[in-house]
Amino acid sequence: MTGERAVATVYWRQGCPYCSRLLGDLDRIGLPVDKVNIWEDPEAAATVRSIADGNETVPTVVVGDTAMVNPRAADVVDAARRHTPGLLAVNTSALVKGPWHRGLAVALVIAVGWFVLAAFNPTTSFPLAPALLTAAWPLGRRWRAGRVLRPVTALTTALGGAVLAVAIALLLELNGALAGAMLFGMPPLTEAIVSVALGVLVGGGLALAGRRPS
């Protein structure tokens, strides 16, 4: 969306997936912006280099006297509201969070692999499998999104992975296939649940790694 009422300038270039994602998000929430292609405007490219430590990193966004390199749409909206109080009325609920099932395929592959291996090797332990399965969903979703996750998204996907891991562990326990030697000498199901908790911490934490404090 480009026009006289633009409250932000977005420097972008063709073939940049991060630019496409940001511009799509800003368009969906109705934030008017000016788009400047740095490959067609040498002065714009110089502006970006002055902001991004000599690099032509895009998207780079300028709102008033605030410059941001590769920001989230929510960051741009916050800056616009600070710069033009009372002017901005956008639907931030329209920010695309991505399908809830992003990353689930990775978790399902690990779940099936763990179940099959344990079923055919009932006396062999796979103590880290529950942790890997639990962490796979939030990490897979972060990878598919191409950015750090919001705290609530990281938590819900990690808990979703935990539910799946506990379900697999219960199925294996009921079928006598969770009988291998464990790392800490706990009962197999108990240790599987401990491994799940570890997966929640690791998966959720890594999905948030690099997030700027809000």
Side-chain angles (χ1 to χ4, degrees), residues 97-122:
K97 300 176 183 178
W100 63 270
H101 57 271
R102 278 182 172 175
L104 177 58
V106 178
L108 289 175
V109 168
I110 295 175
V112 171
W114 175 28
F115 185 84
V116 170
L117 286 173
F120 283 94
N121 302 275

Side-chain angles (χ1 to χ4, degrees), residues 153-177:
T153 303
L155 177 61
T156 53
T157 49
L159 291 178
V163 170
L164 182 58
V166 170
I168 296 295
L170 286 171
L171 284 174
L172 292 173
E173 175 76 3
L174 290 173
N175 286 278

Side-chain angles (χ1 to χ4, degrees), residues 20-42:
S20 298
R21 182 181 296 118
L22 177 63
L23 289 169
D25 284 349
L26 295 177
D27 183 62
R28 274 182 284 271
I29 64 178
L31 181 68
V33 301
D34 279 330
K35 298 188 297 182
V36 182
N37 187 337
I38 65 169
W39 281 358
E40 297 177 353
D41 188 332

